[in-house]
Amino acid sequence: MIVVTGATGTLNGATVEHLLERVPADRIGVSVRDVSRAQLFADRGVRVRQGSYEEPAALRDSFAGADQVLLVSGNDPTADMVGLHRNAIEAAVAAGARRILYTSQHGAAIDGPYPPAAVHAATEAILADSGVAWTSLRYGFFAHSFASMLGPWRETGVITAPADGPVPWTSPADLSEATAVVLSGERSLDGAATLIAGEAVTLEDFAAIASELGGHPAERVVVDDEQWVADQTANGDPEQAARFMLTMFRATREGYFAQPDPLLAELLGREPRGVADQLAEQVGA
């Protein structure tokens, strides 16, 4: 059995949908906080059990009988995410899972400037010490997230932000499909595996793409880090949130997300969706 956590969320919910196209429903289970939200899966023959990373006993029950468990990473900056991930890994091991998969992040690194990357790296270390086979799916940054880096360019015609570097913004739909390919056994992956789009772009590239889509020039303006933080807070954003976003800019320009990898295209059997298509969707929305 394949058990998927976080299946009521958009990303892993889509992964389950892709799995249903590949394996019988009675070979799929989901572990969710609120079982009522997973009724659409239960109606189709998927096993639905309650479980959360805060409740190890419930997790063990929700993982029972699983050959593979897909753990979705948490994103609560106020929680001990490494500790919660440890709970989930230990529950999967106790339940007898033969392989644990985890949704990590491209550029995972203990000593990088972007704090979530350290959480993922620490979780990967726990997986490596778990005693069972493991796969860390290092997802590229989700394409819908680039809106916060671009700012109000559609109104101003200007992308104003600190210095940045290339990022392979990746479609969550492509990631869900590729993850289902791995879970269904069509491709086996051991250890850390990077799943990213085929092109890495800078904000300068975004400006060029946006200019073509909008029919009028979009300008890229680089500002000093501290000036950018001051501007964000003057516009009503909490300083803590602005400084967190600044760590992302620092990581991009230090090259943490610049390394290409063809694996996602190989799993999909086609090229992943590019930034131009994804930005066009946002412009047309």
Side-chain angles (χ1 to χ4, degrees):
M1 174 170 281
I2 302 165
V3 174
V4 178
T5 66
T8 55
T10 301
L11 183 70
N12 276 9
T15 297
V16 175
E17 291 289 351
H18 284 293
L19 274 175
L20 285 166
E21 298 172 359
R22 290 169 166 80
V23 300
D26 61 6
R27 286 184 51 202
I28 304 171
V30 297
S31 174
V32 296
R33 289 178 178 275
D34 182 354
V35 296
S36 67
R37 294 181 58 199
Q39 188 61 45
L40 77 164
F41 293 133
D43 291 343
R44 294 153 73 185
V46 173
R47 189 184 82 179
V48 176
R49 292 187 178 178
Q50 193 277 332
S52 71
Y53 293 179
E54 293 87 354
E55 304 172 81
L59 271 186
R60 288 193 295 273
D61 177 67
S62 68
F63 294 163
D67 296 308
Q68 299 183 85
V69 174
L70 174 63
L71 302 177
V72 65
S73 55
N75 58 5
D76 182 351
T78 66
D80 173 16
M81 289 316 313
V82 175
L84 292 174
H85 292 162
R86 183 187 297 277
N87 287 348
I89 293 166
E90 291 178 347
V93 172
R98 293 188 299 177
R99 179 176 294 275
I100 304 171
L101 300 94
Y102 167 74
T103 61
S104 186
Q105 179 189 77
H106 183 209
I110 289 292
D111 58 354
Y114 187 58
V119 171
H120 292 296
T123 301
E124 290 178 357
I126 297 170
L127 284 167
D129 290 338
S130 68
V132 301
W134 62 281
T135 306
S136 181
L137 302 168
R138 291 183 171 181
Y139 289 167
F141 281 93
F142 299 161
H144 59 255
S145 302
F146 56 58
S148 58
M149 297 186 74
L150 297 178
W153 69 271
R154 294 172 66 178
E155 293 76 29
T156 65
V158 177
I159 299 174
T160 303
D164 71 305
V167 179
W169 298 99
T170 308
S171 164
D174 286 345
L175 293 170
S176 294
E177 182 178 348
T179 300
V181 169
V182 175
L183 286 168
S184 63
E186 298 172 47
R187 176 76 177 267
S188 179
L189 302 173
D190 290 313
T194 299
L195 303 181
I196 55 176
E199 59 175 347
V201 299
T202 64
L203 293 186
E204 186 73 32
D205 298 322
F206 264 111
I209 295 169
S211 296
E212 294 181 7
L213 291 174
H216 55 81
E219 181 184 3
R220 164 68 166 119
V221 175
V222 178
V223 296
D224 174 79
D225 288 358
E226 292 303 318
Q227 182 59 55
W228 182 82
V229 170
D231 292 343
Q232 297 301 107
T233 56
N235 290 331
D237 291 342
E239 181 177 352
Q240 183 178 7
R243 292 200 175 279
F244 177 80
M245 180 59 70
L246 183 61
T247 67
M248 172 68 173
F249 284 107
R250 287 182 55 205
T252 68
R253 69 192 184 218
E254 291 177 23
Y256 278 89
F257 315 119
Q259 187 66 33
D261 197 296
L263 180 57
L264 180 57
E266 294 172 9
L267 294 174
L268 296 173
R270 57 176 169 78
E271 283 301 313
R273 298 174 66 224
V275 163
D277 289 338
Q278 295 172 84
L279 185 58
E281 282 187 6
Q282 293 192 13
V283 170

